[in-house]
């Protein structure tokens, strides 16, 4: 089976490039609401499932023990842009467990937000691990480990308490078998697992509806999703898709991207879980797909649906700010 | 018709993302040597045809009048990374026609090479038009206009002498009708035209073989392609695909990329022209495709073919430099 073209990029009056994708939307009862392309093919979940990976932080009592509020929990679920607020908070979270930047194992990179990168360079700074887009998640991992009294060294390893704990939670939530066979290494060095898209979507439907979860897990899931929706800047950053989508409909959309064109979302009021992937791994393709899918799912709310459509159809401008084309939904998402 | 998967990106033992593409290789007589996917669908040529756009600079005598050697001609055909050497030479070329940075109409952006961007920011610099990846081409346009005694203002416009001249040359070379119907605006504000991939490939076969061209044009084309092969750094820059491919087989490969996943090349010794596009517009996809196509075309030279295959199969490392996967040819290019 092949994946359909769901997004096209135009220039002048012609289509210049095309993005194919697969989309699964599952309701609280596990029924399919929308299925486009290869929804049963395993895809690496990457950072789109950070909220699932943060469940143990809440369920274990670590989040309460360290006094984490919405901002901290949002950052634990984030792929942030390495803006100063993100970096400070990640350092602060680790500090509450008595740890420092040197204890992180995610690696360093510059801010992904160009103006911040330029500011950092001008100030003579060098990239550090707090600026890694995953540093909030890693701060959460460190806190989970310390709270459990487990040596945090090597917490990114497949066999470490942290990774085996979150692997169990994710397998439980999605019903997908996760192990060495479908494991890869993520950008920040932790294991990432390939799971069928419809299983991931179902996991998110359960996260947001609580259906089929024990009361503790349902509460933890709701707390994390609410935290992200309450503090969308801490989930991504300035001009980022996750942040903008959650700001567009406060409390009604949870959205989280992952590398290689993955995007997950939930609609709490409908109990839907959404998981999609742009076949070629591009971010612009995945962003247009998630916007178009959300616009379709909110078709009963014309104002919100229109806002989502406007957000999705990005006008492209060149270095002289001349409009040269657009990114727009195509095929079954048009 | 649909385009085949030609490149895949792996993580662990699994394929994570896939790139589809179309490839046309045409020989000096206009016969097809390789055709994959939709080779007759028009694609925007973008920066991959800068060497065609530079023909008028040579044919008009402007290049000689301003004393341009290999470096200048290579830069006129370049999408450079905005490294100091590129910026200096672009300014120098315009200076020979009595013009300055303010006369360029390409717009500003930071260097695309991160270490240079960081150096520029540290030095308190701001992006200027000489740093635009197209500044060498624009310097050539300015010189073409000045040498012809035409007011250079508005040289990026569809109806200006510069653009109508190069439109005529490109239509002649490729045999494709170029006009308002298939015109878009490029990143640097000049018109870019969509032409069938097999027509573009044939244009490059004619550039490199001279077959079917008048003696003046054949000489100008050969001079430009030789200049690029002699000075590959000036065609792109540090760690860039065009530069590396031409360094890999000096004098035997001319290669030039364009935005949205276009890549063109010629093999002077075989008289072949190559044009390809990654359907989704990605650079990594187009680079792997051109490397794999070149490896196939040089199958009779085992050493070079092996070098090209090694170059093509990129090992991917994460922020901790751990190998996480690879980019590799797939399907008919595997």
């Amino acid at each position: 089976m092949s994946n359909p073209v769901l997004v096209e990029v135009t220039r002048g009056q012609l289509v210049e490039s095309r993005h194919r994708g697969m989309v699964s939307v599952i309701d609280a009862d596990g029924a399919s609401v929308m299925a486009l392309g290869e929804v049963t093919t395993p895809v690496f979940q990457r950072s789109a499932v950070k909220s699932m990976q943060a469940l143990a932080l809440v369920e274990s009592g670590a989040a309460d023990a360290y006094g984490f509020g919405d901002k901290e929990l949002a950052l634990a679920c984030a792929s942030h842009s390495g803006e100063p607020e993100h970096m400070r908070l990640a350092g602060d979270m680790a500090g509450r467990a008595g740890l420092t930047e040197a204890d992180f194992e995610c690696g360093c990179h510059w801010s992904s937000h160009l103006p911040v990168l330029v500011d950092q360079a001008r100030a003579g700074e060098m990239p550090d691990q707090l600026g890694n887009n995953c540093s909030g998640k890693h701060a959460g991992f460190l806190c989970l480990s310390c709270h459990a009294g487990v040596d945090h060294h090597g917490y990114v390893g497949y066999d470490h308490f942290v990774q085996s704990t979150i692997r169990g939670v994710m397998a439980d939530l999605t019903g997908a078998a996760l192990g060495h066979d479908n494991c890869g290494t993520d950008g920040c060095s932790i294991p990432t697992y390939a799971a069928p898209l419809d299983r991931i979507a179902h996991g998110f439907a359960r996260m947001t509806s609580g259906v089929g979860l024990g009361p503790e897990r349902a509460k933890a899931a709701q707390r994390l999703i609410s935290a992200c929706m309450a503090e969308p800047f801490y989930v991504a950053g300035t001009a980022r898709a996750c942040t903008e989508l959650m700001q567009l409909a406060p409390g009604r959309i949870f959205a989280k991207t992952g590398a290689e064109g993955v995007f997950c979302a939930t609609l709490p009021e409908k109990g839907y879980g959404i998981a999609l992937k742009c076949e070629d791994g591009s971010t612009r393709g995945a962003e247009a797909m998630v916007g178009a899918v959300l616009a379709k799912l909110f078709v009963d709310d014309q104002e919100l649906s229109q806002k989502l459509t406007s957000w999705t159809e990005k006008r492209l401008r060149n270095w002289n700010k001349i409009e040269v084309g657009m990114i727009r939904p195509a095929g079954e998402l048009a």
Side-chain angles (χ1 to χ4, degrees), chain A:
Chain A
M1 182 177 179
S2 158
N3 292 313
V5 173
L6 298 178
V7 170
E8 54 195 22
V9 181
T10 68
R11 182 163 298 264
Q13 300 309 307
L14 303 175
V15 172
E16 182 165 29
S17 299
R18 303 195 292 255
H19 295 288
R20 295 164 186 271
M22 38 234 188
V23 180
S24 173
V25 183
I26 302 286
D27 71 15
D29 300 322
S32 173
V33 175
M34 187 190 294
L36 304 174
E38 306 166 358
V39 296
T40 57
T41 303
V43 304
F44 281 108
Q45 307 176 69
R46 309 297 301 268
S47 292
V49 297
K50 277 175 174 165
S51 58
M52 293 184 182
Q53 294 170 329
L55 279 165
L57 178 70
V58 176
E59 290 175 13
S60 67
D64 285 334
Y66 296 115
F68 290 171
D70 283 349
K71 284 182 183 170
E72 289 83 359
L73 292 179
L75 198 69
C77 301
S79 298
H80 62 72
S81 299
E83 299 178 68
E85 301 89 330
H86 302 128
M87 294 177 68
R88 260 197 304 273
L89 189 58
D92 179 53
M93 287 167 69
R96 295 193 217 176
L99 302 177
T100 70
E101 188 266 347
D103 295 305
F104 285 72
E105 300 179 14
C106 47
C108 305
H109 61 76
W110 288 98
S111 169
S112 60
H113 189 52
L114 185 59
V116 172
L117 187 170
V118 169
D119 283 349
Q120 290 171 339
R122 287 220 170 105
E125 293 170 20
M126 284 298 291
D128 71 23
Q129 298 200 93
L130 300 180
N132 186 303
N133 72 90
C134 299
S135 68
K137 175 182 71 179
H138 282 248
F141 288 163
L142 286 166
C143 289
L144 172 63
S145 193
C146 289
H147 181 71
V150 174
D151 180 5
H152 61 79
H153 292 92
Y155 70 88
V156 298
Y158 184 93
D159 293 319
H160 189 277
F161 159 78
V162 167
Q163 300 309 325
S164 67
T165 301
I166 65 172
R167 180 164 58 246
V169 174
M170 290 193 294
D172 232 40
L173 258 179
T174 59
L178 307 179
H180 282 292
D181 286 351
N182 51 13
C183 181
T185 304
D186 214 331
C188 66
S189 298
I190 70 163
T192 180
Y193 308 92
L197 214 51
D198 59 356
R199 296 286 82 230
I200 306 170
H202 192 197
F204 276 107
R206 296 170 81 187
M207 288 267 291
T208 201
S209 68
V211 174
L213 303 182
E216 284 305 308
R217 175 150 301 168
K219 208 173 124 193
Q222 222 225 319
R223 188 168 157 199
L224 285 164
I225 286 180
S226 297
C228 291
M229 293 192 298
E231 295 289 351
F233 172 79
Y234 285 89
V235 179
T238 304
R240 289 275 308 278
C242 300
T243 300
E244 289 184 347
L245 285 170
M246 291 193 278
Q247 286 172 336
L248 214 133
R252 304 181 67 192
I253 295 172
F254 161 81
K256 180 68 189 75
T257 194
E260 291 296 328
V262 182
F263 228 115
C264 291
T266 72
L267 306 190
E269 70 198 59
K270 295 180 193 289
Y272 292 172
I274 301 160
L276 64 83
K277 180 175 164 78
C278 180
E279 179 185 89
D280 58 71
S282 83
T283 296
R284 73 178 183 186
E287 290 180 355
M289 287 175 203
V290 77
V293 167
L294 291 170
K296 280 206 180 299
L297 296 175
F298 279 118
V299 71
D300 53 342
D301 180 338
Q302 215 183 333
E303 193 188 332
L304 177 52
S305 190
Q306 187 48 54
K307 272 193 204 174
L308 286 160
T309 300
S310 300
W311 179 88
T312 301
E313 293 175 353
K314 296 262 185 312
R315 284 166 200 284
L316 302 172
R317 292 177 189 281
N318 74 1
W319 300 115
N320 281 323
K321 314 260 188 265
I322 299 166
E323 189 174 319
V324 293
M326 69 186 312
I327 303 175
R328 67 185 182 200
E332 299 190 64
L333 290 184

